[in-house]
Amino acid sequence: MLINTLNSFVFKYIRFIEMLGVLMRIFSFSLVSWMGPESPFLFVWAFNTTDAVILSWCSILKKDSAYTLLNVFWIMVGIVGMLRAGQISLTDFKSVGLHFITQVMALVS
């Protein structure tokens, strides 16, 4: 299966992939620290959420529950941050989500 192959790849290179995720996080927070209000917040949140996915995946494979919880939390924070940075309201998000589900159901049936 594809997921087993991906897990094997990540586990084989876990030290490198984990370091990449940590460097991504340092970069995103440094960007906000240096640029302040002029920061490209949508990019920063997307980048930060991506590193949270990477670090979550690594911590799940390592069976580190505390680190997994921390990074899954950052994924949720990142999703909210991207919605806010993109000026998408919760109502808009629900509307798009329902429309997407309706289209998928129409394709499946």
Side-chain angles (χ1 to χ4, degrees):
M1 293 189 85
L2 178 63
I3 193 70
N4 292 334
T5 304
L6 290 173
N7 283 340
S8 295
F9 177 82
V10 171
F11 201 73
K12 182 177 179 180
Y13 298 103
I14 199 162
R15 290 175 56 90
F16 172 78
I17 293 170
E18 217 169 12
M19 182 60 72
L20 178 67
V22 168
L23 291 172
M24 289 172 68
R25 182 157 301 169
I26 290 169
F27 173 76
S28 64
F29 282 109
S30 297
L31 190 64
V32 172
S33 295
W34 280 102
M35 295 184 73
E38 290 84 34
S39 296
F41 285 108
L42 184 56
F43 168 78
V44 169
W45 279 116
F47 202 70
N48 193 40
T49 304
T50 303
D51 78 56
V53 169
I54 290 169
L55 293 172
S56 294
W57 195 340
C58 290
S59 61
I60 289 167
L61 290 178
K62 291 168 69 175
K63 296 177 175 40
D64 186 341
S65 58
Y67 202 43
T68 300
L69 177 63
L70 175 66
N71 286 297
V72 169
F73 168 76
W74 273 112
I75 292 170
M76 292 184 289
V77 169
I79 291 169
V80 172
M82 286 187 287
L83 291 172
R84 291 186 49 110
Q87 297 178 343
I88 300 171
S89 70
L90 184 58
T91 305
D92 293 339
F93 184 69
K94 286 180 184 177
S95 174
V96 168
L98 287 173
H99 181 69
F100 177 74
I101 291 169
T102 304
Q103 294 299 317
V104 168
M105 294 306 289
L107 286 172
V108 173
S109 58

